[in-house]
């Protein structure tokens, strides 16, 4: 299990129930406060509140954030494999990587990806929903294509773009994580996360990969107590902790406690 990575704090700014200036200000505030990663999500409709409310598309927002920020890493938590041809997605990711490298020459994109689950998105935009198993199979087919396309693009990405895979399925998803991911993201209490870490370690052993190469990530509530929830997750190997916040207000005031906790753990 991973234990060598430094603790990092991510913030998922849900791109719903807001206007774009509000979303842009929130991303700037997350960077100014000192968080490590700003994520959005890849949905076409809100997941909470008014189901027909305001919502913005994932990858165009990421391209804008790449210009509007200078230090923080950015990514989707997570992009849906079903919505884009894998080779096109690799090209989009490479392009955002280059846009985000404007200050240092090194890109800041994390390619978060998953198999998809929100049926309304599929139905409204004309994608085939199919079955959970079928969507996972398509993700397994897409990941090598993305890797191959990265190597073929001109120019290539500015760095190895970290791949984050979300999901806890033990027979399919965690095998993909072991083979392709730099970061695994899951949800649940510390006991659940610890079990998934154990399975992921086993999947790594099956293919001869060092499990310590994979950063372990988990989602928490912004108002969770870092001294309780953070400590429990840290104890079982989580090193990237991501809190989620929705528009229109994006109240980030509780974030300081998480950042202070991070700094104490990394001291």
């Amino acid at each position: 299990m991973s234990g060598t990575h430094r603790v990092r704090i991510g913030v998922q700014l849900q791109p719903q129930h807001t206007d774009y200036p509000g979303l842009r200000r929130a991303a700037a505030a997350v960077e100014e406060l000192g968080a490590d990663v700003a994520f959005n999500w890849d949905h076409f409709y809100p997941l909470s509140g008014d189901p027909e409310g305001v919502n913005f598309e994932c990858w165009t927002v990421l391209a804008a954030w790449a210009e509007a920020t200078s230090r923080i890493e950015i990514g989707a938590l997570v992009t849906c494999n079903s919505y884009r041809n894998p080779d096109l997605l690799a090209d989009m990711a490479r392009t955002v990587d280059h846009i985000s490298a404007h200050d240092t020459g090194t890109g800041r994109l994390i390619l978060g990806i998953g198999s998809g689950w929100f049926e309304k998105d599929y139905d409204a935009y004309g994608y085939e929903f199919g079955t959970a198993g079928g969507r996972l199979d398509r993700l397994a087919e897409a990941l090598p294509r993305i890797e191959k396309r990265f190597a073929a693009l001109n120019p290539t990405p500015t760095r190895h773009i970290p791949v984050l895979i979300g999901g806890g399925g033990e027979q399919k998803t965690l095998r993909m994580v072991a083979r392709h991911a730099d970061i695994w993201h899951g949800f649940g209490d510390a006991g659940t996360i610890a079990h998934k870490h154990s399975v992921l370690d086993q999947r790594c052993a099956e293919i001869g990969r060092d499990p310590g190469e994979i950063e372990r990530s988990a989602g928490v509530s912004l108002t969770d107590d870092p001294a309780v929830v953070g400590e429990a997750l840290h104890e079982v190997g989580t090193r990237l902790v991501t809190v989620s916040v929705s528009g229109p207000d994006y109240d980030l005031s509780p974030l300081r406690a998480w950042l202070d906790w991070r700094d104490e753990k990394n001291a």
Side-chain angles (χ1 to χ4, degrees):
M1 182 174 62
S2 173
T4 59
H5 299 276
R6 290 173 62 82
V7 174
R8 303 198 295 160
I9 300 296
V11 181
Q12 184 191 52
L13 297 170
Q14 300 169 356
Q16 60 177 7
H17 309 309
T18 188
D19 55 18
Y20 181 72
L23 187 56
R24 185 184 188 280
R25 285 193 299 270
V30 166
E31 179 168 72
E32 184 176 355
L33 286 167
D36 299 285
V37 189
F39 291 109
N40 63 8
W41 68 25
D42 191 17
H43 294 291
F44 306 134
Y45 294 92
L47 297 186
S48 61
D50 180 1
E52 301 298 324
V54 172
N55 190 81
F56 287 101
E57 192 276 329
C58 170
W59 278 90
T60 42
V61 167
L62 288 177
W65 282 0
E67 283 284 5
T69 61
S70 61
R71 179 194 59 80
I72 201 167
E73 287 191 291
I74 58 175
L77 194 62
V78 292
T79 199
C80 177
N81 174 65
S82 305
Y83 300 160
R84 299 163 194 87
N85 171 285
D87 293 87
L88 172 61
L89 179 60
D91 203 340
M92 293 165 60
R94 179 280 311 258
T95 300
V96 173
D97 167 73
H98 276 264
I99 295 170
S100 70
H102 54 80
D103 281 348
T104 66
T106 301
R108 295 176 285 116
L109 179 75
I110 295 172
L111 177 55
I113 192 167
S115 61
W117 63 273
F118 190 41
E119 189 169 3
K120 181 177 180 177
D121 283 346
Y122 286 79
D123 292 345
Y125 279 63
Y127 297 108
E128 179 184 354
F129 188 60
T131 66
R135 293 192 299 277
L136 284 166
D137 290 342
R138 288 193 292 274
L139 177 59
E141 295 166 358
L143 289 164
R145 287 179 58 183
I146 291 169
E147 293 166 353
K148 183 177 180 181
R149 181 56 57 185
F150 278 154
L153 288 166
N154 184 15
T156 56
T158 68
R159 65 170 183 168
H160 169 76
I161 296 177
V163 173
L164 177 155
I165 295 178
E170 297 178 10
Q171 296 305 315
K172 291 187 176 183
T173 302
L174 293 183
R175 292 184 193 277
M176 284 185 266
V177 173
R179 189 167 296 278
H180 298 284
D182 303 281
I183 307 168
W184 173 72
H185 182 82
F187 293 92
D189 61 20
T192 299
I193 295 294
H195 170 71
K196 298 299 182 182
H197 285 178
S198 177
V199 176
L200 177 54
D201 292 347
Q202 179 182 343
R203 298 295 177 242
C204 288
E206 291 168 358
I207 62 170
R209 184 178 184 187
D210 177 2
E213 295 176 355
I214 302 173
E215 184 178 19
R216 313 302 169 95
S217 170
V220 300
S221 169
L222 189 65
T223 56
D224 281 339
D225 184 352
V228 177
V229 177
E231 286 293 333
L233 289 171
H234 187 272
E235 181 66 23
V236 300
T238 300
R239 293 297 181 267
L240 173 56
V241 177
T242 297
V243 299
S244 295
V245 59
S246 178
D249 298 327
Y250 295 110
D251 178 13
L252 297 172
S253 55
L255 181 60
R256 174 48 58 192
W258 281 101
L259 297 174
D260 289 346
W261 173 79
R262 174 202 64 188
D263 293 345
E264 292 172 3
K265 301 307 291 185
N266 288 336

